[in-house]
Amino acid sequence: MKFLDTLSLLLVIIGAVNWGLIGFFDFNLVSALFGEMTTFSRIIYALVGIAGIYSLSFLGKDRYQDKNEEI
């Protein structure tokens, strides 16, 4: 699961950077790299969306699990 968590976090960061570029500079990095709504760019958008939904599960995780095990 750690690999899936890391991959999901990486995709969410990529999506956040893309949205930041759109908001600040009106520049869509995904469209610039892969074309305007090509099949591959749609796959990228879908993967980022799935990663965002999966990342919601991070909110429910116990962040202090390692500290509790030491006590």
Side-chain angles (χ1 to χ4, degrees):
M1 279 305 244
K2 184 154 175 86
F3 172 75
L4 188 59
D5 292 351
T6 304
L7 180 63
S8 176
L9 183 60
L10 180 65
L11 287 170
V12 169
I13 290 170
I14 289 170
V17 168
N18 192 51
W19 276 110
L21 288 171
I22 291 170
F24 288 118
F25 305 112
D26 195 27
F27 177 73
N28 188 336
L29 183 62
V30 175
S31 291
L33 292 176
F34 305 113
E36 188 72 30
M37 293 310 284
T38 62
T39 302
F40 194 69
S41 66
R42 290 178 63 121
I43 290 170
I44 298 295
Y45 289 129
L47 289 175
V48 169
I50 291 168
I53 292 169
Y54 176 79
S55 295
L56 289 173
S57 70
F58 297 161
L59 293 174
K61 287 189 176 179
D62 187 10
R63 293 182 214 152
Y64 304 104
Q65 185 176 8
D66 294 335
K67 288 184 179 182
N68 290 337
E69 290 174 1
E70 293 175 5
I71 297 176

